[in-house]
């Protein structure tokens, strides 16, 4: 029971951290740094990691990635 609760909390935290990235460009550099630290802590891809991954993708691969979401 406790493990299920921990997993649920982790999933919600990952979702909320991911949602915050929609505001990343509007955050201060300090806010961005804090969000990146939180993302790493809960195993969410940071903005820099995403940008690096996208830079290596073809347009077709990007399209497929968007369709997964």
């Amino acid at each position: 029971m406790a493990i299920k609760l921990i997993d649920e909390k982790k999933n919600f935290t990952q979702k909320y951290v991911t949602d915050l990235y929609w505001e990343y460009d509007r955050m201060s550099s300090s806010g961005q740094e804090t969000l990146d630290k939180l993302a790493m802590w809960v195993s969410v891809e940071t903005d820099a990691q995403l940008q690096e991954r996208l830079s290596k993708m073809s347009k077709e691969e990007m399209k497929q990635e968007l369709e997964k979401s």
Side-chain angles (χ1 to χ4, degrees), residues 13-27 31-51:
T13 303
Q14 288 173 326
K15 179 191 178 312
Y16 296 144
V17 168
T18 300
D19 286 348
L20 282 171
Y21 274 102
W22 285 102
E23 303 297 329
Y24 194 79
D25 291 338
R26 296 169 54 181
M27 291 180 178
Q32 290 174 347
E33 183 180 328
T34 299
L35 179 55
D36 287 337
K37 287 178 184 177
L38 283 171
M40 287 187 277
W41 192 52
V42 296
S43 303
V44 169
E45 190 173 48
T46 65
D47 185 66
Q49 291 168 331
L50 174 63
Q51 296 304 324

